[in-house]
Amino acid sequence: MVRVHANGLDWVPAGVGETTAALAGAETVGGLVAVALAALGAGVRERGGPLPAGGPLAVERAIAKMDPLPVDGIGAEAAIAELSAVLATGSADPVDPWCAAHLHCPPLAVAAAADLVASVLNPSMDSWDQAPAASALERALTDRVARLCYPRAERPDALVTSGGTESNLTAVLLARETLGPDLVVVCGDNSHHSVARAAWLLGLPRPITVPTNRDRLDPDRLAATLATLDRPAVVIATAGTTNSGAIDPLAAIAEVARAAGAWLHVDAAYGGALLFSSCRLAQLAGIDQADSIALDLHKLGWQPIAAGMIACRDTALTAKLATNADYLNAADDTEAGLPDLLGRSLRTSRRPDAFKIAVTARALGTAGLGELVDRCCDTATQVASAVTAHPRLRLWGEPSLSTVLLRPRAADESDDGDALIASVRRGLLDDGIAVLGRATMPDADGTSRLWLKLTLLHPHATPEHYLPLLDLVADKADRCR
Ligand SMILES: Cc1ncc(COP(=O)(O)O)c(C=O)c1O
């Protein structure tokens, strides 16, 4: 496509074919998207299941057939067709209900399409002159999300992040900037590994870890730990643990943190989606007492990665990220009214991830999102009941969100039950039949054991989709015994 500039000049890509080096625009991208989607569909059909069969070697062999950095290119259409097919054939595909290991969601079509629009226009969120509408839209969305998290706060704020990891890092940073450099992180042993990394990255001491009970942080134990400290603390609670989806008792934890003068951060990367569900919202009671909250819509929000957020109870807290780079937010530009976006992230160049979230939210509304959240949680509850009723499986505990932990009874009768479970999981991966997760969790007798994990994020899958999988797991475990 040739684009004519207002000054009358046009441009044609030089040296390589017009299509191959064409810039992104509605027509040029449309043609390539059609080619890519056809190849993608063929790749998905060729894979036939949630994962390529044959393990890492088979995938590496397919990739080794082409040079990803040739001297002479093969052209845009050929390259996108070839690599889209390779990627689709070799993907772990969360659109398949049996791809249920991680907080790895099937993206909604509307969100994926919106992400394409963002890629074509390529706004960069570090200055207004690179992203006028995208920055206004991001502000409007973050204001709404902040109010959803903090309905009673006067000046809540929210920032867009690349996910739970960056949200947790930002929270610990803001806590340190507020409470001082002696800060120590106090978290449950159920907290996400990014919490300890945040402390490490910020030069803070290793977090003090409080033992949990059934994957939940115990407020009394937390209070006892905080009472021993002679330095400021940031308490990290979790609303939706990675292993089991458990939600810490947030209201009681908030009271303990407040009494100790600690910052409270709630990592709600998984469970924050309950904010959309009128019938499950009560599970988050007390979340608005936190100083900061991590959210992550590329988990229970059906967004393509990345779609993280952090909400804070007051804009004075987020303002601590303010920074200056003359080429992006010169003081006189800001005084003249150009919005200053640079201090709304730890990053500089930044994708307009708010765009796909806003498109999705406009399309479904919070009620529609809540309905999808409820479907996943209801499915998990019913799958858990099916595990309980299954003669050859047992359940770790009732799901709080959409995670089901189960253990084949064959593992309990084996000399090394954990090894058996690990090999059942790897066997299913190797066959390309199912992608199940794993979690080491205390059993009813207090002994840590390995469990298989189903993280159910597919909003259109029903319990019936999973019943044959339960039988398959039990059969595999029986055979491994
Ligand atoms: C509870 C929790 N917090 C944070 C994260 C990190 O999120 P991300 O992978 O988006 O950085 C995860 C990831 O699974 C998580 O489960």
mmCIF file of all heavy atoms in Angstrom, residues 94 96-106 240-245 270 298-300 302 376-377 379-380 383 399 401-406 435-439 452-459 461 466 469:
data_model
loop_
_atom_site.group_PDB
_atom_site.id
_atom_site.type_symbol
_atom_site.label_atom_id
_atom_site.label_comp_id
_atom_site.label_asym_id
_atom_site.label_seq_id
_atom_site.Cartn_x
_atom_site.Cartn_y
_atom_site.Cartn_z
ATOM 1 N N PRO A 94 -4.422 -22.855 25.279
ATOM 2 C CA PRO A 94 -5.412 -22.796 26.368
ATOM 3 C C PRO A 94 -6.858 -22.781 25.879
ATOM 4 O O PRO A 94 -7.779 -22.852 26.690
ATOM 5 C CB PRO A 94 -5.048 -21.501 27.100
ATOM 6 C CG PRO A 94 -4.319 -20.672 26.104
ATOM 7 C CD PRO A 94 -3.648 -21.622 25.151
ATOM 8 N N ASP A 96 -7.996 -25.186 24.312
ATOM 9 C CA ASP A 96 -8.373 -26.586 24.554
ATOM 10 C C ASP A 96 -8.583 -26.765 26.062
ATOM 11 O O ASP A 96 -7.676 -26.492 26.852
ATOM 12 C CB ASP A 96 -7.241 -27.503 24.065
ATOM 13 C CG ASP A 96 -7.629 -28.974 24.128
ATOM 14 O OD1 ASP A 96 -8.115 -29.405 25.203
ATOM 15 O OD2 ASP A 96 -7.446 -29.681 23.138
ATOM 16 N N PRO A 97 -9.777 -27.205 26.494
ATOM 17 C CA PRO A 97 -10.033 -27.295 27.934
ATOM 18 C C PRO A 97 -9.025 -28.165 28.686
ATOM 19 O O PRO A 97 -8.844 -27.990 29.896
ATOM 20 C CB PRO A 97 -11.438 -27.908 28.011
ATOM 21 C CG PRO A 97 -12.070 -27.611 26.699
ATOM 22 C CD PRO A 97 -10.956 -27.569 25.679
ATOM 23 N N TRP A 98 -8.372 -29.088 27.993
ATOM 24 C CA TRP A 98 -7.414 -29.949 28.690
ATOM 25 C C TRP A 98 -6.029 -29.298 28.812
ATOM 26 O O TRP A 98 -5.081 -29.935 29.258
ATOM 27 C CB TRP A 98 -7.312 -31.315 28.008
ATOM 28 C CG TRP A 98 -8.504 -32.188 28.278
ATOM 29 C CD1 TRP A 98 -9.739 -31.777 28.712
ATOM 30 C CD2 TRP A 98 -8.599 -33.603 28.160
ATOM 31 N NE1 TRP A 98 -10.577 -32.839 28.861
ATOM 32 C CE2 TRP A 98 -9.903 -33.983 28.519
ATOM 33 C CE3 TRP A 98 -7.708 -34.593 27.756
ATOM 34 C CZ2 TRP A 98 -10.341 -35.305 28.518
ATOM 35 C CZ3 TRP A 98 -8.134 -35.924 27.738
ATOM 36 C CH2 TRP A 98 -9.434 -36.273 28.121
ATOM 37 N N CYS A 99 -5.921 -28.058 28.409
ATOM 38 C CA CYS A 99 -4.698 -27.281 28.664
ATOM 39 C C CYS A 99 -5.012 -26.465 29.917
ATOM 40 O O CYS A 99 -5.534 -25.351 29.856
ATOM 41 C CB CYS A 99 -4.408 -26.365 27.477
ATOM 42 S SG CYS A 99 -2.840 -25.481 27.636
ATOM 43 N N ALA A 100 -4.732 -27.022 31.076
ATOM 44 C CA ALA A 100 -5.264 -26.446 32.315
ATOM 45 C C ALA A 100 -4.226 -26.457 33.429
ATOM 46 O O ALA A 100 -4.564 -26.634 34.598
ATOM 47 C CB ALA A 100 -6.518 -27.215 32.734
ATOM 48 N N ALA A 101 -2.958 -26.259 33.075
ATOM 49 C CA ALA A 101 -1.926 -26.343 34.110
ATOM 50 C C ALA A 101 -1.779 -25.040 34.885
ATOM 51 O O ALA A 101 -1.632 -25.035 36.097
ATOM 52 C CB ALA A 101 -0.580 -26.696 33.476
ATOM 53 N N HIS A 102 -1.794 -23.958 34.161
ATOM 54 C CA HIS A 102 -1.333 -22.692 34.747
ATOM 55 C C HIS A 102 -2.406 -21.621 34.667
ATOM 56 O O HIS A 102 -3.447 -21.813 34.051
ATOM 57 C CB HIS A 102 -0.080 -22.211 33.998
ATOM 58 C CG HIS A 102 1.053 -23.194 34.063
ATOM 59 N ND1 HIS A 102 1.787 -23.396 35.202
ATOM 60 C CD2 HIS A 102 1.538 -24.059 33.130
ATOM 61 C CE1 HIS A 102 2.702 -24.329 34.974
ATOM 62 N NE2 HIS A 102 2.567 -24.754 33.721
ATOM 63 N N LEU A 103 -2.071 -20.466 35.221
ATOM 64 C CA LEU A 103 -2.952 -19.300 35.090
ATOM 65 C C LEU A 103 -2.680 -18.683 33.711
ATOM 66 O O LEU A 103 -2.186 -17.562 33.578
ATOM 67 C CB LEU A 103 -2.679 -18.314 36.229
ATOM 68 C CG LEU A 103 -3.216 -18.816 37.569
ATOM 69 C CD1 LEU A 103 -2.524 -18.129 38.735
ATOM 70 C CD2 LEU A 103 -4.720 -18.604 37.643
ATOM 71 N N HIS A 104 -2.996 -19.470 32.709
ATOM 72 C CA HIS A 104 -2.652 -19.216 31.314
ATOM 73 C C HIS A 104 -3.980 -19.322 30.583
ATOM 74 O O HIS A 104 -4.471 -20.421 30.339
ATOM 75 C CB HIS A 104 -1.664 -20.325 30.892
ATOM 76 C CG HIS A 104 -1.339 -20.394 29.438
ATOM 77 N ND1 HIS A 104 -0.993 -21.577 28.819
ATOM 78 C CD2 HIS A 104 -1.281 -19.448 28.485
ATOM 79 C CE1 HIS A 104 -0.733 -21.355 27.554
ATOM 80 N NE2 HIS A 104 -0.901 -20.075 27.325
ATOM 81 N N CYS A 105 -4.589 -18.136 30.311
ATOM 82 C CA CYS A 105 -5.999 -18.193 29.894
ATOM 83 C C CYS A 105 -6.156 -18.234 28.383
ATOM 84 O O CYS A 105 -5.289 -17.779 27.646
ATOM 85 C CB CYS A 105 -6.744 -16.989 30.451
ATOM 86 S SG CYS A 105 -6.222 -15.421 29.704
ATOM 87 N N PRO A 106 -7.295 -18.770 27.924
ATOM 88 C CA PRO A 106 -7.618 -18.608 26.508
ATOM 89 C C PRO A 106 -8.078 -17.169 26.296
ATOM 90 O O PRO A 106 -9.025 -16.717 26.944
ATOM 91 C CB PRO A 106 -8.782 -19.595 26.298
ATOM 92 C CG PRO A 106 -9.389 -19.788 27.641
ATOM 93 C CD PRO A 106 -8.335 -19.506 28.665
ATOM 94 N N GLY A 240 -6.045 -15.533 46.047
ATOM 95 C CA GLY A 240 -5.944 -16.472 44.937
ATOM 96 C C GLY A 240 -4.509 -16.943 44.788
ATOM 97 O O GLY A 240 -3.739 -16.386 43.993
ATOM 98 N N THR A 241 -4.143 -17.961 45.573
ATOM 99 C CA THR A 241 -2.754 -18.427 45.487
ATOM 100 C C THR A 241 -2.536 -19.199 44.193
ATOM 101 O O THR A 241 -3.464 -19.778 43.625
ATOM 102 C CB THR A 241 -2.393 -19.336 46.685
ATOM 103 O OG1 THR A 241 -3.222 -20.497 46.624
ATOM 104 C CG2 THR A 241 -2.584 -18.629 48.008
ATOM 105 N N THR A 242 -1.298 -19.222 43.791
ATOM 106 C CA THR A 242 -0.933 -19.889 42.537
ATOM 107 C C THR A 242 -1.199 -21.392 42.645
ATOM 108 O O THR A 242 -1.628 -22.025 41.682
ATOM 109 C CB THR A 242 0.561 -19.642 42.255
ATOM 110 O OG1 THR A 242 0.836 -18.269 42.519
ATOM 111 C CG2 THR A 242 0.934 -19.989 40.839
ATOM 112 N N ASN A 243 -0.946 -21.967 43.813
ATOM 113 C CA ASN A 243 -1.082 -23.412 43.958
ATOM 114 C C ASN A 243 -2.529 -23.886 44.067
ATOM 115 O O ASN A 243 -2.900 -24.872 43.446
ATOM 116 C CB ASN A 243 -0.326 -23.891 45.206
ATOM 117 C CG ASN A 243 1.148 -24.117 44.905
ATOM 118 O OD1 ASN A 243 1.563 -24.101 43.752
ATOM 119 N ND2 ASN A 243 1.937 -24.337 45.942
ATOM 120 N N SER A 244 -3.320 -23.199 44.889
ATOM 121 C CA SER A 244 -4.666 -23.738 45.143
ATOM 122 C C SER A 244 -5.781 -22.730 44.904
ATOM 123 O O SER A 244 -6.960 -23.096 44.976
ATOM 124 C CB SER A 244 -4.763 -24.230 46.599
ATOM 125 O OG SER A 244 -4.873 -23.130 47.478
ATOM 126 N N GLY A 245 -5.435 -21.466 44.672
ATOM 127 C CA GLY A 245 -6.476 -20.443 44.516
ATOM 128 C C GLY A 245 -7.029 -19.965 45.856
ATOM 129 O O GLY A 245 -8.010 -19.209 45.886
ATOM 130 N N TYR A 270 -4.708 -13.333 40.688
ATOM 131 C CA TYR A 270 -5.667 -14.368 40.259
ATOM 132 C C TYR A 270 -7.080 -14.010 40.758
ATOM 133 O O TYR A 270 -8.012 -13.843 39.967
ATOM 134 C CB TYR A 270 -5.168 -15.707 40.826
ATOM 135 C CG TYR A 270 -5.958 -16.964 40.535
ATOM 136 C CD1 TYR A 270 -6.975 -17.013 39.589
ATOM 137 C CD2 TYR A 270 -5.642 -18.139 41.222
ATOM 138 C CE1 TYR A 270 -7.670 -18.202 39.345
ATOM 139 C CE2 TYR A 270 -6.324 -19.329 40.979
ATOM 140 C CZ TYR A 270 -7.343 -19.347 40.055
ATOM 141 O OH TYR A 270 -8.031 -20.518 39.825
ATOM 142 N N HIS A 298 -4.612 -10.993 32.455
ATOM 143 C CA HIS A 298 -4.255 -12.106 31.558
ATOM 144 C C HIS A 298 -4.343 -13.439 32.308
ATOM 145 O O HIS A 298 -3.808 -14.441 31.856
ATOM 146 C CB HIS A 298 -2.918 -11.899 30.836
ATOM 147 C CG HIS A 298 -1.698 -11.759 31.692
ATOM 148 N ND1 HIS A 298 -0.891 -10.652 31.673
ATOM 149 C CD2 HIS A 298 -1.117 -12.597 32.572
ATOM 150 C CE1 HIS A 298 0.119 -10.804 32.508
ATOM 151 N NE2 HIS A 298 0.005 -11.988 33.067
ATOM 152 N N LYS A 299 -5.042 -13.414 33.440
ATOM 153 C CA LYS A 299 -5.373 -14.677 34.126
ATOM 154 C C LYS A 299 -6.899 -14.837 34.014
ATOM 155 O O LYS A 299 -7.371 -15.170 32.940
ATOM 156 C CB LYS A 299 -4.858 -14.630 35.564
ATOM 157 C CG LYS A 299 -3.328 -14.393 35.628
ATOM 158 C CD LYS A 299 -2.799 -14.610 36.993
ATOM 159 C CE LYS A 299 -1.338 -14.240 37.176
ATOM 160 N NZ LYS A 299 -0.429 -14.239 36.051
ATOM 161 N N LEU A 300 -7.631 -14.559 35.113
ATOM 162 C CA LEU A 300 -9.096 -14.667 35.003
ATOM 163 C C LEU A 300 -9.680 -13.396 34.375
ATOM 164 O O LEU A 300 -10.581 -12.780 34.943
ATOM 165 C CB LEU A 300 -9.693 -14.840 36.406
ATOM 166 C CG LEU A 300 -10.079 -16.236 36.877
ATOM 167 C CD1 LEU A 300 -10.788 -16.170 38.234
ATOM 168 C CD2 LEU A 300 -10.947 -16.995 35.888
ATOM 169 N N TRP A 302 -9.078 -13.109 30.622
ATOM 170 C CA TRP A 302 -9.110 -13.565 29.221
ATOM 171 C C TRP A 302 -8.472 -12.570 28.254
ATOM 172 O O TRP A 302 -8.917 -12.405 27.128
ATOM 173 C CB TRP A 302 -10.553 -13.935 28.828
ATOM 174 C CG TRP A 302 -11.041 -14.954 29.795
ATOM 175 C CD1 TRP A 302 -10.716 -16.286 29.836
ATOM 176 C CD2 TRP A 302 -11.846 -14.714 30.943
ATOM 177 N NE1 TRP A 302 -11.257 -16.876 30.933
ATOM 178 C CE2 TRP A 302 -11.964 -15.938 31.629
ATOM 179 C CE3 TRP A 302 -12.468 -13.580 31.467
ATOM 180 C CZ2 TRP A 302 -12.682 -16.059 32.812
ATOM 181 C CZ3 TRP A 302 -13.177 -13.703 32.636
ATOM 182 C CH2 TRP A 302 -13.290 -14.936 33.285
ATOM 183 N N CYS A 376 -16.275 -20.257 35.416
ATOM 184 C CA CYS A 376 -15.032 -20.999 35.705
ATOM 185 C C CYS A 376 -15.062 -21.542 37.134
ATOM 186 O O CYS A 376 -14.683 -22.693 37.377
ATOM 187 C CB CYS A 376 -13.808 -20.104 35.520
ATOM 188 S SG CYS A 376 -13.545 -19.628 33.815
ATOM 189 N N CYS A 377 -15.508 -20.700 38.063
ATOM 190 C CA CYS A 377 -15.525 -21.143 39.470
ATOM 191 C C CYS A 377 -16.570 -22.255 39.660
ATOM 192 O O CYS A 377 -16.314 -23.235 40.381
ATOM 193 C CB CYS A 377 -15.814 -19.967 40.399
ATOM 194 S SG CYS A 377 -14.522 -18.712 40.365
ATOM 195 N N THR A 379 -17.587 -24.393 37.426
ATOM 196 C CA THR A 379 -17.049 -25.612 36.807
ATOM 197 C C THR A 379 -16.062 -26.278 37.765
ATOM 198 O O THR A 379 -16.081 -27.500 37.959
ATOM 199 C CB THR A 379 -16.376 -25.289 35.459
ATOM 200 O OG1 THR A 379 -17.360 -24.732 34.610
ATOM 201 C CG2 THR A 379 -15.784 -26.516 34.804
ATOM 202 N N ALA A 380 -15.204 -25.460 38.378
ATOM 203 C CA ALA A 380 -14.215 -26.029 39.308
ATOM 204 C C ALA A 380 -14.911 -26.732 40.478
ATOM 205 O O ALA A 380 -14.503 -27.826 40.887
ATOM 206 C CB ALA A 380 -13.291 -24.924 39.813
ATOM 207 N N VAL A 383 -16.219 -30.008 39.166
ATOM 208 C CA VAL A 383 -15.130 -30.963 38.901
ATOM 209 C C VAL A 383 -14.588 -31.494 40.235
ATOM 210 O O VAL A 383 -14.307 -32.695 40.378
ATOM 211 C CB VAL A 383 -14.018 -30.320 38.045
ATOM 212 C CG1 VAL A 383 -12.791 -31.219 37.956
ATOM 213 C CG2 VAL A 383 -14.542 -30.005 36.649
ATOM 214 N N PRO A 399 -12.435 -26.005 46.135
ATOM 215 C CA PRO A 399 -11.815 -24.848 45.468
ATOM 216 C C PRO A 399 -12.363 -23.523 45.995
ATOM 217 O O PRO A 399 -13.556 -23.410 46.257
ATOM 218 C CB PRO A 399 -12.204 -25.021 43.998
ATOM 219 C CG PRO A 399 -12.957 -26.286 43.874
ATOM 220 C CD PRO A 399 -13.263 -26.817 45.225
ATOM 221 N N LEU A 401 -11.430 -20.732 44.160
ATOM 222 C CA LEU A 401 -11.602 -20.044 42.877
ATOM 223 C C LEU A 401 -11.852 -21.097 41.802
ATOM 224 O O LEU A 401 -12.883 -21.762 41.837
ATOM 225 C CB LEU A 401 -10.350 -19.216 42.565
ATOM 226 C CG LEU A 401 -10.208 -17.880 43.292
ATOM 227 C CD1 LEU A 401 -8.806 -17.326 43.136
ATOM 228 C CD2 LEU A 401 -11.204 -16.883 42.713
ATOM 229 N N SER A 402 -10.896 -21.270 40.913
ATOM 230 C CA SER A 402 -11.129 -22.203 39.805
ATOM 231 C C SER A 402 -10.002 -23.243 39.708
ATOM 232 O O SER A 402 -9.770 -23.775 38.634
ATOM 233 C CB SER A 402 -11.267 -21.424 38.498
ATOM 234 O OG SER A 402 -10.045 -20.804 38.165
ATOM 235 N N THR A 403 -9.324 -23.488 40.822
ATOM 236 C CA THR A 403 -8.237 -24.479 40.831
ATOM 237 C C THR A 403 -8.684 -25.731 41.586
ATOM 238 O O THR A 403 -9.239 -25.630 42.685
ATOM 239 C CB THR A 403 -6.991 -23.885 41.513
ATOM 240 O OG1 THR A 403 -6.568 -22.751 40.756
ATOM 241 C CG2 THR A 403 -5.856 -24.894 41.574
ATOM 242 N N VAL A 404 -8.419 -26.881 40.985
ATOM 243 C CA VAL A 404 -8.764 -28.161 41.612
ATOM 244 C C VAL A 404 -7.471 -28.968 41.769
ATOM 245 O O VAL A 404 -6.770 -29.213 40.784
ATOM 246 C CB VAL A 404 -9.765 -28.949 40.730
ATOM 247 C CG1 VAL A 404 -10.124 -30.286 41.381
ATOM 248 C CG2 VAL A 404 -11.023 -28.124 40.470
ATOM 249 N N LEU A 405 -7.158 -29.344 43.000
ATOM 250 C CA LEU A 405 -5.976 -30.177 43.254
ATOM 251 C C LEU A 405 -6.440 -31.599 43.544
ATOM 252 O O LEU A 405 -7.331 -31.812 44.378
ATOM 253 C CB LEU A 405 -5.206 -29.656 44.467
ATOM 254 C CG LEU A 405 -4.554 -28.278 44.323
ATOM 255 C CD1 LEU A 405 -3.849 -27.893 45.616
ATOM 256 C CD2 LEU A 405 -3.569 -28.259 43.165
ATOM 257 N N LEU A 406 -5.827 -32.554 42.870
ATOM 258 C CA LEU A 406 -6.256 -33.936 43.044
ATOM 259 C C LEU A 406 -5.049 -34.860 43.053
ATOM 260 O O LEU A 406 -3.966 -34.511 42.572
ATOM 261 C CB LEU A 406 -7.225 -34.330 41.931
ATOM 262 C CG LEU A 406 -6.692 -34.184 40.506
ATOM 263 C CD1 LEU A 406 -6.431 -35.547 39.896
ATOM 264 C CD2 LEU A 406 -7.677 -33.404 39.670
ATOM 265 N N VAL A 435 -2.423 -30.925 29.532
ATOM 266 C CA VAL A 435 -1.427 -30.118 30.237
ATOM 267 C C VAL A 435 -1.967 -29.872 31.637
ATOM 268 O O VAL A 435 -2.856 -29.040 31.840
ATOM 269 C CB VAL A 435 -1.183 -28.763 29.523
ATOM 270 C CG1 VAL A 435 0.057 -28.086 30.087
ATOM 271 C CG2 VAL A 435 -1.057 -28.946 28.022
ATOM 272 N N LEU A 436 -1.457 -30.644 32.592
ATOM 273 C CA LEU A 436 -1.873 -30.486 33.991
ATOM 274 C C LEU A 436 -0.724 -29.861 34.769
ATOM 275 O O LEU A 436 0.445 -30.100 34.466
ATOM 276 C CB LEU A 436 -2.209 -31.846 34.621
ATOM 277 C CG LEU A 436 -3.264 -32.706 33.916
ATOM 278 C CD1 LEU A 436 -3.610 -33.909 34.773
ATOM 279 C CD2 LEU A 436 -4.513 -31.892 33.655
ATOM 280 N N GLY A 437 -1.068 -29.099 35.798
ATOM 281 C CA GLY A 437 -0.035 -28.502 36.636
ATOM 282 C C GLY A 437 0.321 -29.406 37.798
ATOM 283 O O GLY A 437 -0.226 -30.502 37.951
ATOM 284 N N ARG A 438 1.271 -28.957 38.613
ATOM 285 C CA ARG A 438 1.684 -29.704 39.796
ATOM 286 C C ARG A 438 1.855 -28.727 40.953
ATOM 287 O O ARG A 438 2.227 -27.570 40.760
ATOM 288 C CB ARG A 438 2.981 -30.474 39.535
ATOM 289 C CG ARG A 438 4.080 -29.616 38.950
ATOM 290 C CD ARG A 438 5.335 -30.402 38.634
ATOM 291 N NE ARG A 438 6.064 -30.765 39.843
ATOM 292 C CZ ARG A 438 7.027 -31.671 39.900
ATOM 293 N NH1 ARG A 438 7.403 -32.317 38.790
ATOM 294 N NH2 ARG A 438 7.652 -31.943 41.016
ATOM 295 N N ALA A 439 1.574 -29.196 42.153
ATOM 296 C CA ALA A 439 1.729 -28.342 43.342
ATOM 297 C C ALA A 439 2.064 -29.229 44.522
ATOM 298 O O ALA A 439 1.407 -30.257 44.739
ATOM 299 C CB ALA A 439 0.436 -27.581 43.613
ATOM 300 N N LEU A 452 -1.742 -33.126 41.525
ATOM 301 C CA LEU A 452 -1.983 -32.635 40.164
ATOM 302 C C LEU A 452 -2.919 -31.440 40.258
ATOM 303 O O LEU A 452 -3.838 -31.424 41.093
ATOM 304 C CB LEU A 452 -2.598 -33.736 39.297
ATOM 305 C CG LEU A 452 -1.632 -34.872 38.943
ATOM 306 C CD1 LEU A 452 -2.380 -36.021 38.289
ATOM 307 C CD2 LEU A 452 -0.508 -34.372 38.028
ATOM 308 N N LYS A 453 -2.662 -30.470 39.391
ATOM 309 C CA LYS A 453 -3.428 -29.213 39.484
ATOM 310 C C LYS A 453 -4.170 -28.944 38.179
ATOM 311 O O LYS A 453 -3.575 -28.969 37.102
ATOM 312 C CB LYS A 453 -2.455 -28.067 39.778
ATOM 313 C CG LYS A 453 -3.104 -26.710 39.851
ATOM 314 C CD LYS A 453 -2.160 -25.650 40.397
ATOM 315 C CE LYS A 453 -1.197 -25.143 39.367
ATOM 316 N NZ LYS A 453 -0.559 -23.870 39.767
ATOM 317 N N LEU A 454 -5.466 -28.697 38.315
ATOM 318 C CA LEU A 454 -6.270 -28.236 37.181
ATOM 319 C C LEU A 454 -6.623 -26.777 37.444
ATOM 320 O O LEU A 454 -7.324 -26.474 38.414
ATOM 321 C CB LEU A 454 -7.578 -29.027 37.101
ATOM 322 C CG LEU A 454 -7.525 -30.451 36.584
ATOM 323 C CD1 LEU A 454 -8.876 -31.137 36.780
ATOM 324 C CD2 LEU A 454 -7.177 -30.444 35.106
ATOM 325 N N THR A 455 -6.108 -25.881 36.618
ATOM 326 C CA THR A 455 -6.445 -24.463 36.767
ATOM 327 C C THR A 455 -7.458 -24.151 35.664
ATOM 328 O O THR A 455 -7.092 -24.066 34.492
ATOM 329 C CB THR A 455 -5.183 -23.588 36.607
ATOM 330 O OG1 THR A 455 -4.140 -24.130 37.425
ATOM 331 C CG2 THR A 455 -5.443 -22.162 37.038
ATOM 332 N N LEU A 456 -8.713 -24.036 36.054
ATOM 333 C CA LEU A 456 -9.787 -23.981 35.050
ATOM 334 C C LEU A 456 -10.127 -22.525 34.709
ATOM 335 O O LEU A 456 -10.819 -21.841 35.457
ATOM 336 C CB LEU A 456 -11.012 -24.738 35.568
ATOM 337 C CG LEU A 456 -10.710 -26.193 35.967
ATOM 338 C CD1 LEU A 456 -11.971 -26.919 36.421
ATOM 339 C CD2 LEU A 456 -10.049 -26.965 34.828
ATOM 340 N N LEU A 457 -9.612 -22.087 33.584
ATOM 341 C CA LEU A 457 -9.830 -20.697 33.149
ATOM 342 C C LEU A 457 -10.636 -20.639 31.856
ATOM 343 O O LEU A 457 -10.753 -19.573 31.255
ATOM 344 C CB LEU A 457 -8.488 -19.990 32.906
ATOM 345 C CG LEU A 457 -7.521 -19.868 34.071
ATOM 346 C CD1 LEU A 457 -6.322 -18.994 33.680
ATOM 347 C CD2 LEU A 457 -8.179 -19.267 35.293
ATOM 348 N N HIS A 458 -11.141 -21.791 31.428
ATOM 349 C CA HIS A 458 -11.867 -21.815 30.152
ATOM 350 C C HIS A 458 -13.337 -21.507 30.431
ATOM 351 O O HIS A 458 -14.045 -22.319 31.013
ATOM 352 C CB HIS A 458 -11.734 -23.205 29.524
ATOM 353 C CG HIS A 458 -12.111 -23.237 28.079
ATOM 354 N ND1 HIS A 458 -13.318 -22.771 27.606
ATOM 355 C CD2 HIS A 458 -11.432 -23.679 26.993
ATOM 356 C CE1 HIS A 458 -13.359 -22.933 26.306
ATOM 357 N NE2 HIS A 458 -12.229 -23.465 25.902
ATOM 358 N N PRO A 459 -13.804 -20.325 29.996
ATOM 359 C CA PRO A 459 -15.144 -19.927 30.441
ATOM 360 C C PRO A 459 -16.267 -20.697 29.750
ATOM 361 O O PRO A 459 -17.417 -20.605 30.181
ATOM 362 C CB PRO A 459 -15.197 -18.440 30.077
ATOM 363 C CG PRO A 459 -14.240 -18.277 28.950
ATOM 364 C CD PRO A 459 -13.164 -19.299 29.149
ATOM 365 N N ALA A 461 -15.924 -24.106 28.922
ATOM 366 C CA ALA A 461 -15.834 -25.558 29.195
ATOM 367 C C ALA A 461 -16.799 -25.903 30.326
ATOM 368 O O ALA A 461 -17.033 -25.094 31.225
ATOM 369 C CB ALA A 461 -14.404 -25.918 29.575
ATOM 370 N N TYR A 466 -14.286 -32.348 31.587
ATOM 371 C CA TYR A 466 -13.172 -32.809 32.422
ATOM 372 C C TYR A 466 -13.359 -34.233 32.950
ATOM 373 O O TYR A 466 -12.399 -34.835 33.416
ATOM 374 C CB TYR A 466 -12.950 -31.815 33.584
ATOM 375 C CG TYR A 466 -12.566 -30.461 33.043
ATOM 376 C CD1 TYR A 466 -13.491 -29.431 32.938
ATOM 377 C CD2 TYR A 466 -11.277 -30.242 32.543
ATOM 378 C CE1 TYR A 466 -13.153 -28.203 32.379
ATOM 379 C CE2 TYR A 466 -10.926 -29.018 31.983
ATOM 380 C CZ TYR A 466 -11.871 -28.013 31.900
ATOM 381 O OH TYR A 466 -11.521 -26.810 31.337
ATOM 382 N N LEU A 469 -11.099 -36.750 31.527
ATOM 383 C CA LEU A 469 -9.712 -36.475 31.934
ATOM 384 C C LEU A 469 -9.441 -37.090 33.312
ATOM 385 O O LEU A 469 -8.349 -37.635 33.557
ATOM 386 C CB LEU A 469 -9.474 -34.967 31.945
ATOM 387 C CG LEU A 469 -8.087 -34.479 32.349
ATOM 388 C CD1 LEU A 469 -6.997 -35.059 31.440
ATOM 389 C CD2 LEU A 469 -8.012 -32.944 32.317
#
